Structure formats: C-alpha cells, structure tokens
Amino acid sequence: MDTFTLIQITDTHLSRERPEFLPNFEVAANIIGQTKPDLIVHTGDIAVEATLRSDDLLFGKEAMDSLNTPYRAIPGNHDVGDNPSDNNYMPPTPVSESLVQTYESHFGPDHWSLDQGGWRLIGLNAQLFSSGLARADQQHDWLVQSLEESAGRPVAVFCHKPLLRDHIEEAAEVPYRYVPMVDRAPLAAALDAADVRLFACGHVHQARDHWRGNTRHVWCPATAFTMPDSIQPRVGDKRCGLTSYRFSPNGVQVEMQFPQTMSHPEVGVLRKVYAI
Ligand SMILES: [Fe+2]
Ligand SMILES: [Fe+2]
C-alpha cells in the first residue's frame, strides 16, 4: 500500500453518565463512516473523567468500537490522571500505575508503534512525563530505540499534549498545557535524531498547524467542546472538528475539518460536566 488515510480525533470526552458531548462524537462518526479511513488515531481524553468513573472509559471503548474501523488510542489526562508539571504544578488527580493499567485493559498499550505505508507511526503516553512512574523511563528508552529502528523512514508521532507553543525553551505559562519543560529537551533530542515529519496532538481544544524545523505540529481540534477565552487563552482556532491525513512515501497531507453540525456547548454545560 503506497498511500493510506488516517483520521485523528481527540478529546471526545465521552461518558454514559454525562452524555453532553456525545452528539459531536456522532458527527465525527458519520464523517468517518463516509470517508472510511484506513486507520483512526484517538489522541486522548476519550473520557469525561475516568479517574472518577471507570465506566467512562468503557463507554468510550464501546463508542470507538462502533466505528468499525481499525483504531489506536493514547491516553489523556481525563483518562489516566494528569502529570506534575512546570512551576511545581501538582494535579488534583495525578497519573498512577493503576489508572494507566485500567486504561490499558480497555485500549491496549499506552504507547505503541505501527509501520504502515512506509511510515512509522508512534503513539506516546504524554501523561507519563514528569510522573516519576517507572514506566516513564521505560517509555523514553523504548522511544529512543523505536526511532533508531525507524532507519530513515518518515515518522509520525501522536501525543496527547503539544510539545511546545513556539520553542523548546520558552517561558512556562499554563503548566499543564504542554509537555513539561524538563522533559522537552530529551524528547526533542530523541525526535530530532530521526526523520519525524509530524507531531500530532490534542488536549488544547484549539486547532493549530505550525512547524518546528522539518516537523509539522498539528493541534487537532477537539470533538467535544472548545473553551471560552475567559477560561483559556486563545492560541489557535477555537472550533470543534477532526483531522484527516493522507500518508504517502513522499510526505503527508493534512486537512482539518470543522463540521458546522458540531455544536459548541455553552460554558454552563462545561461547568455542569466539570464543575469548573
Ligand atoms: Fe480534553
Ligand atoms: Fe487533555
């Protein structure tokens, strides 16, 4: 297969008990049903809050299985808890080994690689950064080896959190938005040693498409919701959607889609679901 198509969805925030964001997932599901990609990658925050209700992950798995399309997933902070980060940030529910294991019981390994169409696709568990968990070091060692073994083929990395806003070294702002500062340099060094063409993330609930060197950084729009500027500073495009990719040996085409039928839940809905 010389080319293959992939749809990235992210931040679906699904829950049987809190179904407020399900209609937007159904819009994405319809698009996937029509376009029939070869692969779906879900870049995390599958659940509304799996650290409170493990059924949110089960419901998310049922939703992903209903797409009848091969898929891979990686966890987000609402799936396995968040990681400590810059400025001594300690999340209210930190990522833990047991939460990651629960996630893996539904979705398989929290990090993975897949060779397809001449590319190596890599999924990372962003919640391990600065976590202190043994599997954080294991993931980094595995990543270095996997990139070494990519042996010149182009690589696409999927990770819940963006690597950076503009630079590897920049003033820390919201501590939980990006890969923590202390983890960026070793991660960037590993990525820069290979031919990483794409670094695709979610988490921010804003769409953005920018470059660092030869790597295209794609912030996939969230399926579930965007946040008002009063809650979250605007960096990219605050619309709901999904991202389509066409991979070929020569490169990757990227197209973001922003279906008008995806609703934009009011802040009152966000407050109700998340008590913010
Ligand atoms: Fe999210
Ligand atoms: Fe997130």
Side-chain angles (χ1 to χ4, degrees):
M1 182 164 51
D2 282 347
T3 67
F4 68 97
T5 55
L6 184 155
I7 286 185
Q8 180 189 3
I9 56 174
T10 197
D11 299 85
T12 50
H13 292 261
L14 294 168
S15 168
R16 206 181 317 268
E17 196 173 312
R18 294 285 190 183
E20 282 82 354
F21 309 125
L22 186 56
N24 278 6
F25 179 82
E26 289 169 344
V27 173
N30 278 335
I31 292 170
I32 289 166
Q34 287 162 13
T35 52
K36 297 182 171 41
D38 295 309
L39 180 68
I40 300 166
V41 174
H42 192 313
T43 43
D45 283 358
I46 299 163
V48 163
E49 194 49 74
T51 65
L52 290 176
R53 291 176 301 269
S54 61
D55 183 66
D56 285 10
L57 277 183
L58 176 58
F59 185 71
K61 170 153 175 59
E62 290 169 3
M64 292 301 294
D65 288 348
S66 75
L67 300 175
N68 292 313
T69 305
Y71 71 87
R72 294 288 182 110
I74 47 176
N77 47 302
H78 291 284
D79 303 320
V80 296
D82 208 356
N83 54 290
S85 192
D86 307 322
N87 303 331
N88 300 314
Y89 172 72
M90 182 55 70
T93 307
V95 61
S96 70
E97 179 63 28
S98 66
L99 286 166
V100 175
Q101 286 182 10
T102 299
Y103 166 88
E104 289 186 317
S105 72
H106 293 296
F107 291 99
D110 64 339
H111 59 277
W112 43 262
S113 76
L114 176 66
D115 291 342
Q116 191 156 345
W119 282 69
R120 174 157 290 192
L121 311 181
I122 291 177
L124 293 179
N125 180 355
Q127 306 315 126
L128 296 180
F129 295 126
S130 290
S131 67
L133 297 179
R135 64 168 67 221
D137 289 339
Q138 290 163 3
Q139 175 174 256
H140 183 78
D141 293 345
W142 167 88
L143 174 65
V144 169
Q145 185 175 352
S146 182
L147 289 169
E148 276 177 14
E149 290 171 357
S150 66
R153 72 177 67 194
V155 177
V157 175
F158 297 88
C159 178
H160 183 58
K161 294 189 175 183
L163 177 61
L164 45 79
R165 173 170 172 154
D166 297 308
H167 305 285
I168 293 294
E169 293 186 37
E170 58 192 351
E173 41 172 82
V174 183
Y176 44 79
R177 181 164 298 147
Y178 304 99
V179 170
M181 289 293 176
V182 70
D183 296 281
R184 288 190 193 183
L187 177 57
L191 298 175
D192 289 349
D195 185 14
V196 178
R197 307 273 185 94
L198 175 69
F199 189 100
C201 67
H203 181 59
V204 194
H205 293 231
Q206 300 186 38
R208 192 173 176 220
D209 187 354
H210 66 120
W211 291 78
R212 172 182 172 268
N214 295 321
T215 305
R216 190 170 186 172
H217 288 251
V218 172
W219 295 11
C220 182
T223 296
F225 59 89
T226 60
M227 284 174 269
D229 292 354
S230 59
I231 294 177
Q232 180 208 52
R234 183 179 294 264
V235 179
D237 187 343
K238 291 192 173 183
R239 287 185 285 171
C240 293
L242 63 169
T243 306
S244 299
Y245 302 89
R246 178 175 292 277
F247 290 87
S248 72
N250 296 327
V252 57
Q253 296 174 2
V254 181
E255 182 186 1
M256 291 182 183
Q257 298 179 59
F258 304 99
Q260 299 216 335
T261 46
M262 278 189 177
S263 65
H264 294 267
E266 309 246 326
V267 67
V269 174
L270 304 186
R271 289 193 197 285
K272 180 178 158 202
V273 174
Y274 277 112
I276 55 175

